[in-house]
């Protein structure tokens, strides 16, 4: 299995190639970037960096540098983006917290899964994890201590990120 960063790079290269070849859907996706907001994207102007930016935004990050910092697990990155709160999960009622310590305490009490949304934290159930596209019984959950925000084993979280990216259709975000 590829790691999440490599998977996103491959998808960005494919998107870039399709856009350069005039694929309308690819051009529309890239056309949502701020640099193309006031003009019709011209395929000759599109670069790989635009594909990376599109994929990063579609997966809930502010841009490629932000996505890379989060997916690499850089400890100084406090904004984990919105990737863990996809559209299909809006209907769930979860416990939300501004402070990590409170979220951690509730996770320990309820046995749920502690996730992050930007700089906030929320605790979810198995059903949420399944709807998000991950296996709630994956051994990597145990390895991270069911805590995505501050995982006991960052490499296990990196594997979960890779599985989450792989679970999403290339065109879906």
């Amino acid at each position: 299995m590829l790691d999440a960063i490599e998977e996103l790079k491959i998808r960005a290269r494919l998107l870039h190639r399709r856009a350069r070849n005039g694929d309308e859907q690819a051009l529309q996706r890239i056309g949502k970037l701020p640099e193309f907001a006031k003009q019709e994207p011209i395929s000759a102007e599109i670069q790989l960096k635009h594909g990376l930016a599109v994929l990063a935004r579609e997966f809930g990050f502010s841009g490629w540098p932000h996505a890379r910092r989060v997916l690499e697990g850089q400890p100084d990155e406090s904004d984990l983006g919105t990737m863990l709160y996809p559209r299909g999960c809006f209907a769930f009622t979860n416990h939300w917290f501004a402070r990590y310590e409170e979220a951690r305490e509730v996770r320990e009490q309820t046995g749920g899964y502690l996730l992050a949304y930007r700089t906030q934290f929320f605790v979810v159930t198995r059903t949420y994890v399944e709807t998000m596209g991950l296996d709630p019984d994956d051994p990597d959950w145990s390895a991270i201590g069911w805590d995505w925000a501050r995982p006991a084993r960052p490499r296990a979280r990196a594997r979960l990120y890779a599985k989450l990216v792989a679970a999403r259709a290339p065109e879906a975000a």
Side-chain angles (χ1 to χ4, degrees):
M1 172 185 301
L2 294 173
D3 74 12
I5 292 173
E6 287 307 311
E7 177 67 24
L8 291 177
K9 284 181 178 180
I10 290 169
R11 291 183 187 196
R13 283 193 291 274
L14 293 171
L15 176 62
H16 174 246
R17 184 177 306 132
R18 287 180 37 223
R20 294 282 303 224
N21 290 331
D23 179 276
E24 195 58 40
Q25 184 183 25
L27 289 169
Q28 286 177 355
R29 288 171 70 195
I30 289 177
K32 293 178 183 177
L33 293 173
E35 54 263 47
F36 293 115
K38 295 186 174 143
Q39 67 182 28
E40 192 66 29
I42 301 170
S43 59
E45 295 177 11
I46 296 170
Q47 300 173 16
L48 179 58
K49 69 178 183 177
H50 298 120
L52 291 168
V54 166
L55 269 291
R57 287 171 181 251
E58 289 177 349
F59 276 89
F61 303 105
S62 62
W64 181 248
H66 180 222
R68 188 173 194 114
R69 286 190 307 272
V70 171
L71 296 174
E72 286 176 346
Q74 292 186 11
D76 59 332
E77 181 57 65
S78 61
D79 179 349
L80 296 183
T82 64
M83 183 179 189
L84 303 178
Y85 194 64
R87 288 185 190 108
C89 293
F90 289 177
F92 285 89
T93 303
N94 306 303
H95 301 279
W96 283 81
F97 306 92
R99 293 186 36 230
Y100 169 79
E101 293 75 19
E102 293 175 34
R104 178 72 182 178
E105 185 177 317
V106 167
R107 197 230 61 82
E108 289 172 0
Q109 291 171 357
T110 65
Y113 301 76
L114 194 157
L115 304 178
Y117 179 90
R118 297 194 189 274
T119 60
Q120 298 178 6
F121 310 95
F122 61 113
V123 177
V124 302
T125 64
R126 297 174 53 81
T127 307
Y128 183 99
V129 171
E130 289 170 342
T131 303
M132 192 171 62
L134 293 175
D135 177 1
D137 296 318
D138 188 313
D140 283 331
W141 283 109
S142 174
I144 68 170
W146 296 274
D147 184 343
W148 200 288
R150 296 188 185 162
R153 293 197 181 128
R155 290 185 61 125
R157 181 178 70 178
R159 288 190 299 271
L160 286 170
Y161 266 129
K163 293 168 190 172
L164 189 54
V165 168
R168 284 218 185 135
E171 306 299 323

